[in-house]
Short mmCIF file of all heavy atoms in Angstrom, two decimals:
data_model
loop_
_atom_site.label_atom_id
_atom_site.label_comp_id
_atom_site.label_asym_id
_atom_site.label_seq_id
_atom_site.Cartn_x
_atom_site.Cartn_y
_atom_site.Cartn_z
N GLY A 500 -78.20 -132.20 69.05
CA GLY A 500 -79.10 -133.24 68.55
C GLY A 500 -80.42 -133.31 69.30
O GLY A 500 -81.11 -134.35 69.28
N THR A 501 -80.81 -132.24 69.95
CA THR A 501 -82.05 -132.21 70.73
C THR A 501 -83.12 -131.42 69.98
O THR A 501 -82.84 -130.34 69.46
CB THR A 501 -81.80 -131.54 72.10
OG1 THR A 501 -80.77 -132.26 72.79
CG2 THR A 501 -83.07 -131.54 72.95
N THR A 502 -84.32 -131.98 69.94
CA THR A 502 -85.44 -131.27 69.31
C THR A 502 -86.20 -130.48 70.37
O THR A 502 -86.34 -130.92 71.52
CB THR A 502 -86.41 -132.25 68.63
OG1 THR A 502 -86.91 -133.17 69.61
CG2 THR A 502 -85.72 -133.01 67.52
N VAL A 503 -86.70 -129.30 69.97
CA VAL A 503 -87.39 -128.40 70.90
C VAL A 503 -88.80 -128.15 70.39
O VAL A 503 -89.01 -127.87 69.21
CB VAL A 503 -86.62 -127.06 71.03
CG1 VAL A 503 -87.39 -126.11 71.95
CG2 VAL A 503 -85.22 -127.29 71.56
N GLU A 504 -89.75 -128.23 71.31
CA GLU A 504 -91.15 -127.93 71.00
C GLU A 504 -91.59 -126.77 71.90
O GLU A 504 -91.49 -126.84 73.13
CB GLU A 504 -92.01 -129.16 71.27
CG GLU A 504 -93.49 -128.94 70.96
CD GLU A 504 -94.33 -130.15 71.32
OE1 GLU A 504 -93.77 -131.17 71.77
OE2 GLU A 504 -95.56 -130.06 71.17
N ILE A 505 -92.07 -125.71 71.27
CA ILE A 505 -92.55 -124.54 72.03
C ILE A 505 -94.07 -124.59 72.07
O ILE A 505 -94.73 -124.62 71.02
CB ILE A 505 -92.07 -123.22 71.38
CG1 ILE A 505 -90.54 -123.17 71.38
CG2 ILE A 505 -92.64 -122.02 72.11
CD1 ILE A 505 -89.95 -121.97 70.68
N THR A 506 -94.64 -124.60 73.27
CA THR A 506 -96.10 -124.74 73.42
C THR A 506 -96.65 -123.62 74.31
O THR A 506 -95.91 -122.91 74.99
CB THR A 506 -96.45 -126.09 74.07
OG1 THR A 506 -95.90 -126.13 75.41
CG2 THR A 506 -95.88 -127.25 73.27
N GLY A 507 -97.99 -123.49 74.30
CA GLY A 507 -98.68 -122.58 75.22
C GLY A 507 -98.64 -121.12 74.85
O GLY A 507 -99.01 -120.27 75.67
N LEU A 508 -98.22 -120.80 73.63
CA LEU A 508 -98.18 -119.38 73.23
C LEU A 508 -99.58 -118.82 73.13
O LEU A 508 -100.47 -119.44 72.53
CB LEU A 508 -97.46 -119.22 71.89
CG LEU A 508 -95.95 -119.48 71.86
CD1 LEU A 508 -95.45 -119.56 70.43
CD2 LEU A 508 -95.21 -118.41 72.64
N ASN A 509 -99.79 -117.61 73.69
CA ASN A 509 -101.09 -116.97 73.48
C ASN A 509 -101.17 -116.44 72.05
O ASN A 509 -100.19 -116.48 71.30
CB ASN A 509 -101.33 -115.86 74.51
CG ASN A 509 -100.25 -114.79 74.49
OD1 ASN A 509 -99.79 -114.38 73.43
ND2 ASN A 509 -99.85 -114.32 75.66
N GLU A 510 -102.32 -115.94 71.68
CA GLU A 510 -102.55 -115.57 70.27
C GLU A 510 -101.56 -114.53 69.76
O GLU A 510 -100.97 -114.68 68.69
CB GLU A 510 -103.98 -115.06 70.10
CG GLU A 510 -104.34 -114.72 68.66
CD GLU A 510 -105.77 -114.23 68.52
OE1 GLU A 510 -106.53 -114.29 69.50
OE2 GLU A 510 -106.12 -113.76 67.41
N SER A 511 -101.35 -113.48 70.56
CA SER A 511 -100.44 -112.41 70.14
C SER A 511 -99.01 -112.92 70.04
O SER A 511 -98.29 -112.63 69.07
CB SER A 511 -100.53 -111.24 71.11
OG SER A 511 -99.57 -110.25 70.81
N SER A 512 -98.58 -113.67 71.05
CA SER A 512 -97.21 -114.20 71.05
C SER A 512 -96.99 -115.18 69.92
O SER A 512 -95.94 -115.18 69.26
CB SER A 512 -96.92 -114.88 72.39
OG SER A 512 -97.01 -113.96 73.46
#
Side-chain angles (χ1 to χ4, degrees):
T501 302
T502 59
V503 177
E504 180 184 358
I505 299 176
T506 63
L508 291 168
N509 58 41
E510 183 180 352
S511 174
S512 298

